[in-house]
Amino acid sequence: HPLDSLTPNEFIRVQAIVNQSHPTSTTNLTFQYIGLNEPDKQAFLSWLQNHPTTIPPPRQAFVVARINHQTHELIIDFSRDDIVSDRIHHGFGYPSLTFQEQIDADQLVFNHAPFLAALNKRGLKVEQVVCGSFTVGWFGETKQNGRVVKIMCYYLDGTVNLYMRPIEAITVTVDLDAMNVIHFQDRLVVPVPKAAGTDYRESKQKPPLGPELKGITVVQPDGPSFTIDGSRVRWANWDFHLSFDARVGPIVSLASIYDTEKQEFRRVMYRGFVSELFVPYMDLTEEWYYRTFFDAGEYGYGLCAVPLEPLRDCPANAVYMGAYVAAQNGMPIEMPNVFCIFERNAGDVMWRHTETMIPPDL
């Protein structure tokens, strides 16, 4: 299907084509994003209407890569096994982070002597410190400051609720392209909150916990009412296509409902997904003001997906579907069980309305 997510083989083909065009022996090359290049809407709808007698629109991949410290936006045509567009992005804005460069940046601080000295001054154990990469936002600067992140660290030592124990007032700035520390600041010493009573894990909870609820089971003796054919899902009078993207996560396309009067499906949505979630912390403190996350564009909803756990995230009657994303080197990474599809009891009460003006005999 032209809207299906890229397959592992297509990821590998993308990597090979880009590497051939920009040999890694002489090029600093990282893949920040690889995904489906959405086909032209009108061409796709024409194919959909005349399928299967017409040729589908060309299948292409959209790639964002850092090549010698420049951001390239590439379109790769699989029918030609070639790059059909290669545009260098200029101006503000940088591609999304990869997990690998975040991990590498976070580890830099543990070899940075001033940072280790700052921990020692606070009496903190290095082995109990965890760090994360935070994007720096944009505040009207006319000069770009490069691809940099600020590393903020937290203290465990008795809890996994790391955000409850920030190591305040220490900021380490890392240049992602050079992958080195370019600025360090230890502004003041703020006591780290106590760990006691902050661990939220089930295994760490202490009684009394309240009455235990008895289990609930949904029984479907005839099996589920929905059907899954590749990426197409059909249930009751609904029909839609489901795919996955490293940036936006789940994508629902061609959602249609059956019109019983016209005896045909009526499309209600061509393509739908979460476009962005902007989270500004709005704290003027030196270590907080720049925290203005773009969750999809900077970190990726799809990249942050985790496997859903049966009986915890999804009920026993769920059907699971997986997906793939690209690693920093372009190779496919399997993301198992990122979707679960199930039916809930249609007899559950959703809402009830009372209208006192209606005569009781009606």
Side-chain angles (χ1 to χ4, degrees):
H1 194 283
L3 296 183
D4 280 354
S5 308
L6 296 186
T7 65
N9 183 57
E10 287 173 328
F11 279 110
I12 295 171
R13 289 168 66 188
V14 166
Q15 185 208 42
I17 292 169
V18 176
N19 283 339
Q20 184 178 11
S21 175
H22 301 276
T24 54
S25 58
T26 58
T27 305
N28 183 300
L29 169 62
T30 59
F31 293 88
Q32 309 300 129
Y33 169 84
I34 301 177
L36 176 71
N37 190 47
E38 185 177 332
D40 176 77
K41 182 177 180 179
Q42 294 306 317
F44 170 74
L45 290 178
S46 176
W47 170 84
L48 195 65
Q49 184 176 3
N50 298 292
H51 173 71
T53 59
T54 57
I55 300 174
R59 189 159 169 83
Q60 299 178 331
F62 178 65
V63 180
V64 178
R66 289 287 287 179
I67 303 175
N68 287 338
H69 308 315
Q70 290 184 311
T71 300
H72 288 245
E73 296 178 341
L74 306 102
I75 296 177
I76 295 174
D77 192 308
F78 290 115
S79 64
R80 298 168 54 178
D81 265 342
D82 196 13
I83 299 172
V84 295
S85 175
D86 185 346
R87 186 178 74 89
I88 298 177
H89 172 78
H90 297 286
F92 290 100
Y94 293 99
S96 57
L97 304 173
T98 68
F99 276 146
Q100 188 58 55
E101 63 188 359
Q102 292 180 68
I103 293 170
D104 293 343
D106 297 342
Q107 289 302 309
L108 284 176
V109 302
F110 294 102
N111 295 313
H112 192 62
F115 176 76
L116 299 177
L119 295 183
N120 185 60
K121 181 172 65 174
R122 290 164 171 77
L124 304 178
K125 308 169 189 174
V126 177
E127 65 273 14
Q128 294 294 328
V129 175
V130 293
C131 300
S133 302
F134 292 77
T135 52
V136 299
W138 180 70
F139 301 92
E141 301 92 342
T142 56
K143 182 180 179 181
Q144 297 190 68
N145 53 11
R147 292 191 72 231
V148 300
V149 291
K150 294 188 178 183
I151 309 299
M152 303 300 296
C153 299
Y154 304 85
Y155 199 53
L156 301 179
D157 199 26
T159 180
V160 295
N161 194 353
L162 59 96
Y163 293 110
M164 283 293 297
R165 308 197 79 194
I167 306 175
E168 294 282 13
I170 296 179
T171 305
V172 185
T173 306
V174 171
D175 183 316
L176 292 178
D177 286 330
M179 198 51 72
N180 59 23
V181 176
I182 59 174
H183 181 260
F184 174 83
Q185 178 175 278
D186 183 2
R187 193 166 59 86
L188 76 160
V189 175
V190 179
V192 176
K194 295 180 180 180
T198 66
D199 198 322
Y200 49 78
R201 288 176 294 177
E202 182 181 15
S203 61
K204 298 296 182 180
Q205 303 309 303
K206 298 179 180 179
L209 302 175
E212 184 176 346
L213 300 179
K214 297 181 179 179
I216 300 175
T217 301
V218 175
V219 179
Q220 295 182 287
D222 300 321
S225 297
F226 61 82
T227 59
I228 302 176
D229 181 11
S231 298
R232 183 180 182 183
V233 180
R234 280 170 281 192
W235 175 79
N237 53 353
W238 285 97
D239 189 331
F240 61 91
H241 179 277
L242 182 64
S243 61
F244 184 83
D245 179 78
R247 177 185 172 97
V248 301
I251 302 176
V252 174
S253 303
L254 309 177
S256 303
I257 188 169
Y258 191 73
D259 189 322
T260 55
E261 293 183 0
K262 295 184 177 181
Q263 296 289 295
E264 62 182 23
F265 277 94
R266 176 169 55 87
R267 185 167 301 128
V268 296
M269 183 173 68
Y270 176 69
R271 200 148 163 83
F273 48 83
V274 179
S275 60
E276 186 55 276
L277 180 64
F278 178 53
V279 186
Y281 273 62
M282 303 297 287
D283 188 315
L284 298 180
T285 310
E286 175 70 20
E287 294 77 31
W288 284 83
Y289 78 92
Y290 60 84
R291 301 191 195 191
T292 52
F293 300 116
F294 282 100
D295 282 355
E298 293 178 333
Y299 295 92
Y301 288 136
L303 287 177
C304 294
V306 295
L308 299 168
E309 296 185 22
L311 303 183
R312 284 190 176 271
D313 298 309
C314 311
N317 61 322
V319 175
Y320 296 86
M321 296 173 64
Y324 289 86
V325 296
Q328 183 171 290
N329 65 359
M331 290 298 289
I333 298 176
E334 185 177 8
M335 309 281 277
N337 295 357
V338 292
F339 296 122
C340 72
I341 301 171
F342 60 92
E343 293 171 290
R344 65 190 302 274
N345 186 0
D348 290 348
V349 177
M350 296 296 289
W351 54 270
R352 188 169 184 265
H353 180 74
T354 299
E355 185 55 73
T356 56
M357 290 186 292
I358 298 176
D361 55 345
L362 294 179

